[in-house]
């Protein structure tokens, strides 16, 4: 658990849809913002079994970069700070489902239903944050198949939201 405080845009509503020790998410009108402390990951190209997630921020960013060998396409990468801690922001796409590659909120989660990773037809704006104790992964996504593709606005709202994050 990494206690944090964040200002949520009104477009996401007042309360999160899920608020557990490892997973925090808002979903409203197609907008989604998620924060995950991965309990396990399902690495692309792996053996289909859960693995221990990368233990450090730097290792988690390297783990995402390695996914480029398994259909992940990363762009628009920048380093910054979030909550006074190091962070990397990047945008990802894929042409193959990568269920569980970001991670799962529990060790017993079903990678196809309860875990998260890049998916076809979506742009993901991902933040890997050097949170106290282990990496915190946050993202928003945009359905690129929609006629009106609001990814720029959604990504800007997400980054503005990250600027308000404070660790307690």
């Amino acid at each position: 658990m990494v206690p944090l405080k964040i200002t949520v845009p009104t477009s996401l509503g007042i309360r999160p849809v899920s608020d557990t020790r490892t997973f925090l998410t808002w979903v409203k009108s197609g907008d989604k913002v998620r924060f995950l402390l991965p309990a396990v990951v399902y690495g692309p190209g792996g053996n289909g079994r859960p693995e221990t997630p990368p233990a450090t921020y730097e290792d988690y960013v390297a783990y995402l970069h390695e996914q480029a060998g398994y259909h992940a396409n990363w762009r628009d990468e920048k380093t910054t700070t979030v909550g006074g801690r190091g962070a990397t922001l990047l945008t990802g796409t894929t042409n193959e489902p990568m269920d569980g590659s970001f991670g799962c909120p529990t060790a017993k989660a079903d990678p196809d239903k309860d875990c998260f990773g890049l998916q076809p037809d979506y742009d993901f704006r991902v933040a890997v944050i050097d949170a106290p104790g282990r990496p915190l992964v946050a993202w928003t996504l945009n359905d690129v198949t929609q006629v009106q593709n609001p990814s720029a606005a959604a990504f800007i709202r997400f980054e503005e939201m990250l600027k308000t994050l404070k660790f307690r």
Side-chain angles (χ1 to χ4, degrees):
M1 183 170 144
V2 177
L4 58 85
K5 180 179 179 180
I6 194 160
T7 302
V8 180
T10 56
S11 63
L12 289 172
I14 297 171
R15 300 207 186 280
V17 173
S18 178
D19 185 356
T20 70
R21 295 177 62 81
T22 59
F23 186 58
L24 179 61
T25 186
W26 289 267
V27 178
K28 186 172 182 182
S29 302
D31 280 345
K32 296 178 184 178
V33 173
R34 295 187 162 128
F35 288 80
L36 175 68
L37 289 170
V40 296
V41 296
Y42 285 82
N47 57 14
R49 286 192 222 121
E51 303 169 10
T52 302
T56 68
Y57 153 75
E58 294 85 2
D59 289 345
Y60 195 96
V61 172
Y63 165 75
L64 289 182
H65 287 154
E66 290 167 5
Q67 293 179 16
Y70 301 93
H71 302 281
N73 298 299
W74 299 108
R75 67 183 189 278
D76 303 329
E77 183 170 335
K78 68 179 181 179
T79 56
T80 187
T81 58
V82 173
R85 315 234 357 147
T88 298
L89 290 163
L90 58 169
T91 301
T93 59
T94 185
N95 59 0
E96 295 287 332
M98 300 179 72
D99 300 328
S101 62
F102 290 173
C104 310
T106 66
K108 303 243 184 229
D110 180 331
D112 296 328
K113 297 177 186 172
D114 307 317
C115 302
F116 302 93
L118 295 175
Q119 298 296 317
D121 299 329
Y122 291 90
D123 280 342
F124 286 74
R125 188 63 173 158
V126 180
V128 181
I129 305 163
D130 188 14
R134 60 182 167 157
L136 175 63
V137 185
W139 67 92
T140 192
L141 55 92
N142 181 56
D143 184 343
V144 296
T145 65
Q146 298 299 311
V147 174
Q148 292 183 350
N149 184 337
S151 66
F155 291 1
I156 290 168
R157 275 193 309 272
F158 175 66
E159 291 188 33
E160 290 299 316
M161 185 176 173
L162 291 174
K163 289 178 184 176
T164 70
L165 188 144
K166 299 201 182 337
F167 294 101
R168 294 191 257 159

